[in-house]
Amino acid sequence: MRKRFLRLLPGLSVLLLLPLGAAALSSGASASAASVPPGCAPWCPQNSTCINATACRCHPGFSSWSGEIITNPADSCDDVDECSSGQHRCHNSTVCVNTMGSYRCCCRPGWTPLPGFRDNQNTTVCEEMSFPTWTPPPGIQSQSLSGFFEGVQDLRRHFKPASAQNTVRVVTGPRGPGQSPAVSGGCFRDLIQSVDELLKAPGDLETLALPDRHHTVTHLLSGLEEILRTLAKAMPGASFTYQSPEGTELSLVIQEQGHGNVTLGQSHARMVLDWAMAAGAVGSGPAVAGILSSPNMQKPLANASLELDPERQAELEETHDSPLRGIQWRILSAVKSVLLSNTNTTKLDPKVTVIFSHRPETPGTRQELICAFWKGAGHGGGHWATTGCRRLGSRNGNTTCLGFLPGSMAILVNPEDVEKEDPVLDVITYVGLSLSLLCLLLAALTFLLCRAIQNTSTSLHLQLSLCLFLAHLLFLTAIDRTEIKVLCALIAGALHYLYLASFTWMLLEGLHLFLTARNLMVVNYSSVSRFMKWLMFPVGYGVPAVIVAISAASRPHLYGTSTRCWLRSESGFIWGFLGPVCAICSVNLAFFLMTLWMLKSRLSSLNSDVSTLQDTRMLTFKATAQLFILGCTWCLGILQVGPAARVMAYLFTIINSLQGVFIFLVYCLLRQQVREQYGKWFKRVRKPKAESETFTLSSRAMSDASKPITI
């Protein structure tokens, strides 16, 4: 009876429509006819398409009382619930969610899309979420670190993603008897507390070298952020905050969809960001936004360097009226790690606003609070950086920062007094180098023009003098030309090459001195000359060219700083100069000591040959003078530490800036042949002058004799 009544409903609806006024029907018909193509039924309902003048077809995902084809104007196309009717094709790893006219397949809680699939699609296929792999950083040997990662592997073995939703609800509650960490909420708790214990009692981590320590911290931060971000996706629709006994605080918000701004608050910080930016690509699963505050992370990040953006560095240098060198930046706040589903936010706007709470501190007149983020290096290590992160304001222990990089951020403060350059050292440098330039020029001219001393040794002296002259001249005239970055980089590269070439020729000088002293024992000089003539030019100019070419090809952007046209210290780039210099100074020092030892043995076994005795004594004196010429005194730069740093700085500057004076003194003024040649040149200069004076006197006498005598 009921089915028969339902079949009569369309007919009754038509009868009810017939009594309507003709005007209403005609007006509706005219309006529909105006918007319907010719030959189509003007009464096709919503979610349908016209077939002909008497029939319509429902869109896919919709159906009517009469089926797919509609011939009754009173019929409608309604949504089909594919999920409840079993018409969906979702994989058993997903959950069907009905939508208007269709459906979507979402990964189950604790599951994630397989590689190549996207969530919330009809074809989504998922796999059970696993605890991310987190292994110790390569190359770091530490028992404390090994124990920490053993605990991480234990958490990984007990992790149960299907129970992760319960994890949120009882995250701060005690663990029940027989419950695993994932069921009781201990997964987050135990992970954070393990990190706290490692940072509170680092053990042998404190003995690591500073780059290795910073490399370890970079690995800990990146791994912890990745694990927290991944585990949070197993808990859709959850928001919670957890604070450990050591003060580490975690706040997370997980949503399937969101719009507008989202705010996360905790005792140490507050974060405001646009939810669309946090979510990232559509279909990537639940969106996660979170912030992890770690006060214990300050200790291992102490003494880390800061890479200021050019604009900020120029401002600070103007404030301190000196270059920023050797500054130990102090971490004022807890280290905050921003966790977002979207890890590619470098080109997105608006940015993330983080408000830091720290102990109130009024900056001095020459201090400034800096918003910085931790930047890990690809080869290990890490440093603070400010590019893309700036401070909006500070008030009453709260500092607001704006940045677009997810990762770890902190508030840094510079010391009140920045070490300034000593003006006395500047004067000594410029005066000493100016004297050296004059002496090197005179020495080079002497080596070129004095034929009596032309030999292999003189060729070595000439090349060393030319390289030092060009290096010192470029240093004095262009070391501060930082206005044009490309020009500054070229100047830095030229200085790198010229000073390396100078030290290479110093090495060849030391080798020649050693070989000469060794061959003195057998009175054989020809082999030394042949060997040095074949070796010196390829080594003297080729080896520095190779070193500079490799440095420039690998990291050209590290040539030139904001205050000097020289090599930057980032990533160990300065060792492209310091490494060869230290090696050459060490080898030359060894040559010097061996030469003195051989000469001592020679002096003790000499016969009464006066000429040989005189030659050996002169060689001994020159070997002693070579201590300055061979660059061994550059080792004083290593001793500029502790209370004697200032004294060593003065000795280093005085001795090394006068290296050209020592070369001219030892190789020119103290050589008899050179002094005799100077005498000849001086006589040649005076002889034309004397002849000119004689001619003038004779002319005057003749003029006087030709005058008539008047009585």
Side-chain angles (χ1 to χ4, degrees), residues 312 351 371 386 388-393 400-403:
R312 180 61 54 82
K351 303 176 182 178
C371 293
T386 61
C389 182
R390 62 188 178 92
R391 181 173 64 91
L392 298 181
T400 304
C401 299
L402 184 68

Side-chain angles (χ1 to χ4, degrees), residues 166-174 184-189 240-242:
N166 295 330
T167 303
V168 181
R169 295 171 183 171
V170 293
V171 68
T172 57
S184 66
C187 188
F188 283 96
R189 180 186 63 199
F240 64 94
T241 297
Y242 167 67

Side-chain angles (χ1 to χ4, degrees), residues 177-253:
Q179 288 182 310
S180 66
V183 174
S184 66
C187 188
F188 283 96
R189 180 186 63 199
D190 291 351
L191 182 62
I192 292 175
Q193 289 184 4
S194 297
V195 175
D196 283 343
E197 291 173 3
L198 177 65
L199 298 178
K200 185 179 180 181
D204 55 358
L205 283 179
E206 292 183 323
T207 63
L208 294 176
L210 200 60
D212 291 339
R213 196 188 315 163
H214 292 162
H215 176 44
T216 303
V217 173
T218 301
H219 191 79
L220 287 175
L221 288 172
S222 60
L224 186 60
E225 292 166 10
E226 178 62 25
I227 287 179
L228 293 176
R229 184 187 300 112
T230 303
L231 297 185
K233 289 186 177 182
M235 301 168 288
S239 300
F240 64 94
T241 297
Y242 167 67
Q243 186 170 6
S244 72
E246 296 298 328
T248 301
E249 199 167 357
L250 174 65
S251 298
L252 287 174
V253 174

